[in-house]
Amino acid sequence: MRRAALRLCTLSKGLLAPSRGLAQGSQNPEKQRVFHIHEVRDKLREIVGASTNWRDHVKAMEERKLLHSFLAASQKGLPPRRMKDSYIEVLLPLGSQPELREKYLTVQNTVRFGRILEDLDSLGVLICYMHNKIHSAKMSPLSIVTALVDRIDMCKKSLSPEQDIKFSGHVSWVGKTSMEVKMHMFQLHDNEFSPVLDATFVMVARDSENKGPAFVNPLTLESPEEEEIFRQGELNKGTRVAFSSMSLLKMAPTAEERTAIHEMFLNTLDPKTVSFRSRVLPPNAVWMENSKLKSLDICHPQERNIFNRIFGGFLMRKAYELGWATACNFGGSRPFIVAVDDIMFQKPVEVGSLLFLSSQVCFTQGNYIQVRVHSEVASLQDKEHMTTNVFHFTFMSEKEVPLVFPRTYGESMLYLDGQRHFSSMSAPVTLKKDHLIEP
């Protein structure tokens, strides 16, 4: 999978210009007005006919079966849409509505990044529904779900829990059954919204019962700028395929990687004995197996999405927060998020499942800590464990951290995988507290 870097960078004016242009060009009053963050989930329930009452979920899903007749037999039968048709803005009024702050607040008086992930996930789905809106039907026949968190970039701006935050976004690329969504996040500084975050998600459309793929409206491009955005979406797709083909689950390590692992193995042999079994750690080093943390959550109905599966944003938040705790426990000081890898949603999580998260440090260098979080679920009936996600997080500690050493071949593959993710960062990050965010 391709690297999805959450890098501290400065977003270019050119990158932000399309969204501003889309806002100015939209002729739909509903798209021009700014939604409140609470309206996003309410709007999604309205679009799919979901009930806020868990006891009604079976009835609501039965009613969605009647929407099959609205599904297109091919993409050619659907009218093309413009990027501006899906453009929306959403306000998270942490400053003007202080009662919202506690949900987003960390003990260090910063904004919880896990909560931002939840909001981005909901916003991405709503944007796709705006792109595929059927004016003749009250409810949408499509079931749109998040397939991949492809990329998130952070600007060098602090996230204050006492200033309003604004999100904006639109569909930027379309396949036959999938869509790429570009989203931006701004925070109010000196009476002006300054860019904070840029995100790219990939969503897929399913039929009304969420059982099979469904066609989405094609995208028409109205300017060279939009053509460039669309072209980037095509490149993103190709890069993901290339990264997947090079996975260590499919191909052996490179000659250079094999040499590095062998040198690490030699560095852990006890010089007092001539034995491959006698292993000792070098100074300032930790065995990988001793860097683990685990958690277990019961997936209650409260965490369900509009299709009565567990909300993807909830899964991302729980994995991120366990990863942060792992980095904190390993490094001995407060870590800051530097990068987030592609988050691929492999399987849906049913309400009532047991969610097992296993986190471990798989690579370190200087102040950097690469953490891998493996997510799997088991039902109460068959107890069979199935992998749903694998997350990769890069953190930076306030001080230099120990090296991590693998013992087994399997751990060596985890080490190389973590090294690959770390190496794909475009540039090192300078540690500045006001530029970084926490869980």
Side-chain angles (χ1 to χ4, degrees), residues 49-153:
S51 172
T52 56
N53 192 332
W54 168 245
R55 291 177 296 179
D56 298 335
H57 76 279
V58 175
K59 178 183 177 182
M61 289 299 105
E62 285 295 319
E63 291 176 350
R64 285 193 57 78
K65 291 182 180 180
L66 303 176
L67 298 173
H68 265 283
S69 60
F70 288 97
L71 292 171
S74 70
Q75 193 177 44
K76 293 180 180 179
L78 294 169
R81 297 288 161 78
R82 304 167 299 176
M83 287 188 184
K84 66 181 66 174
D85 291 329
S86 61
Y87 178 84
I88 57 176
E89 294 183 358
V90 175
L91 183 68
L92 172 57
L94 297 180
S96 51
Q97 294 184 16
E99 63 273 15
L100 296 177
R101 289 178 195 165
E102 189 164 326
K103 177 182 176 181
Y104 291 84
L105 190 65
T106 72
V107 70
Q108 289 84 20
N109 199 41
T110 59
V111 174
R112 294 173 64 182
F113 181 65
R115 292 297 189 191
I116 298 300
L117 285 175
E118 290 182 326
D119 291 339
L120 288 171
D121 193 36
S122 295
L123 177 59
V125 174
L126 180 58
I127 287 170
C128 288
Y129 273 118
M130 301 299 281
H131 174 81
N132 294 280
K133 187 174 182 179
I134 300 177
H135 298 284
S136 60
K138 182 179 179 182
M139 294 191 300
S140 173
L142 299 179
S143 301
I144 297 175
V145 296
T146 306
L148 172 72
V149 179
D150 185 64
R151 181 185 180 93
I152 302 176
D153 292 311

Side-chain angles (χ1 to χ4, degrees), residues 26 43 81-82 99 163 272 295 326 366 411 413 424:
S26 175
K43 189 79 174 172
R81 297 288 161 78
R82 304 167 299 176
E99 63 273 15
Q163 299 293 333
K272 298 178 182 178
S295 70
T326 303
E411 287 182 348
M413 295 303 100
S424 64

Side-chain angles (χ1 to χ4, degrees), residues 6 8 113 320 335-340 393-395 436-438:
L6 174 84
L8 295 166
F113 181 65
Y320 171 78
F336 299 91
I337 185 65
V338 172
V340 176
F393 302 105
T394 306
F395 294 95
L436 296 154
I437 55 177
E438 300 163 271

Side-chain angles (χ1 to χ4, degrees), residues 202-397:
V202 177
M203 328 297 284
V204 293
R206 312 275 290 171
D207 62 27
S208 55
E209 297 180 77
N210 198 11
K211 292 182 177 179
F215 293 105
V216 299
N217 292 71
L219 188 64
T220 183
L221 309 175
E222 298 185 309
S223 69
E225 196 171 43
E226 292 186 357
E227 290 175 0
E228 175 59 27
I229 294 173
F230 189 87
R231 188 188 69 84
Q232 186 60 52
E234 289 281 2
L235 291 175
N236 292 343
K237 179 182 177 182
T239 307
R240 287 193 296 270
V241 173
F243 261 69
S244 177
S245 66
M246 296 172 60
S247 168
L248 289 168
L249 294 172
K250 299 178 181 178
M251 295 184 65
T254 65
E256 183 180 355
E257 289 174 332
R258 292 195 297 269
T259 300
I261 288 298
H262 189 66
E263 288 179 355
M264 292 186 73
F265 172 73
L266 295 178
N267 287 336
T268 62
L269 294 181
D270 189 347
K272 298 178 182 178
T273 64
V274 185
S275 171
F276 288 131
R277 294 186 177 182
S278 183
R279 308 278 299 276
V280 292
L281 276 171
N284 192 34
V286 176
W287 290 118
M288 185 183 291
E289 63 187 15
N290 295 329
S291 67
K292 295 180 180 179
L293 285 182
K294 295 185 178 183
S295 70
L296 169 63
D297 282 277
I298 303 171
C299 297
H300 293 291
Q302 180 186 11
E303 307 299 343
R304 73 189 187 278
N305 62 17
I306 52 179
F307 304 113
N308 295 299
R309 301 276 180 63
I310 294 301
F311 176 42
F314 168 77
L315 302 175
M316 288 191 282
R317 176 171 62 84
K318 299 301 290 188
Y320 171 78
E321 291 178 351
L322 180 63
W324 185 91
T326 303
C328 183
N329 185 59
F330 182 88
S333 63
R334 189 174 62 187
F336 299 91
I337 185 65
V338 172
V340 176
D341 238 337
D342 289 337
I343 302 175
M344 180 76 75
F345 290 85
Q346 300 178 23
K347 292 182 180 295
V349 178
E350 302 292 341
V351 173
S353 300
L354 298 178
L355 175 65
F356 295 87
L357 294 176
S358 178
S359 175
Q360 70 182 113
V361 176
C362 56
F363 178 80
T364 61
Q365 179 177 302
N367 289 37
Y368 293 97
I369 306 172
Q370 188 73 34
V371 178
R372 179 184 188 269
V373 182
H374 181 261
S375 169
E376 56 184 32
V377 296
S379 66
L380 297 177
Q381 289 76 30
D382 55 27
K383 298 182 182 180
E384 179 185 357
H385 286 226
M386 295 184 298
T387 297
T388 60
N389 306 83
V390 177
F391 306 81
H392 292 273
F393 302 105
T394 306
F395 294 95
M396 177 180 281
S397 179

Side-chain angles (χ1 to χ4, degrees), residues 422-435:
F422 176 78
S423 298
S424 64
M425 274 199 306
S426 62
V429 176
T430 302
L431 182 63
K432 294 182 180 180
K433 293 181 182 179
D434 62 328
H435 290 170

